[in-house]
Amino acid sequence: MINTLKKIFGFGPKTDYAALLKQGAIILDVRSPSEFKQGHIKGSVNAPLNSITNYASKLKKETPIICCCASGMRSASAKNILITIGFKEVYNGGGWSSLEQKV
């Protein structure tokens, strides 16, 4: 059960987010538009959690996706939704401000 929780919330081996971006990954910021407007990672795309399945239809399922939000909770949910609908490589980047320092 512990390993399952670690997977859900993105704890485990460290991910090289900068390398993923160089390989063509997309950063999906799943916060609300007003939160996104207050600050976000340059080049990220705002796809609020409540509309993630609609936005996902615009993406290729082979493209690596890095989800982020304010704290990592919504991005964990977004990751699980995207994996459930067939995306192959999805990461929970956690909070956008800490992810920004890693890319």
Side-chain angles (χ1 to χ4, degrees), residues 4 13 24 33 35 39 51-52 54-55 57-58 61 72 77 90 92 99:
T4 301
E35 289 174 292
S51 62
I52 194 77
N54 292 337
Y55 189 81
S57 66
K58 301 174 185 177
K61 293 191 176 181
S77 295
V90 186
N92 179 0
L99 178 60

Side-chain angles (χ1 to χ4, degrees), residues 28-70:
L28 287 186
D29 189 321
V30 298
R31 297 176 298 150
S32 70
S34 62
E35 289 174 292
F36 186 79
K37 190 175 183 178
Q38 291 176 9
H40 58 273
I41 297 171
K42 184 178 179 180
S44 63
V45 176
N46 187 218
L49 182 59
N50 63 354
S51 62
I52 194 77
T53 53
N54 292 337
Y55 189 81
S57 66
K58 301 174 185 177
L59 301 172
K60 294 180 182 177
K61 293 191 176 181
E62 299 78 30
T63 301
I65 306 290
I66 304 168
C67 299
C68 68
C69 62

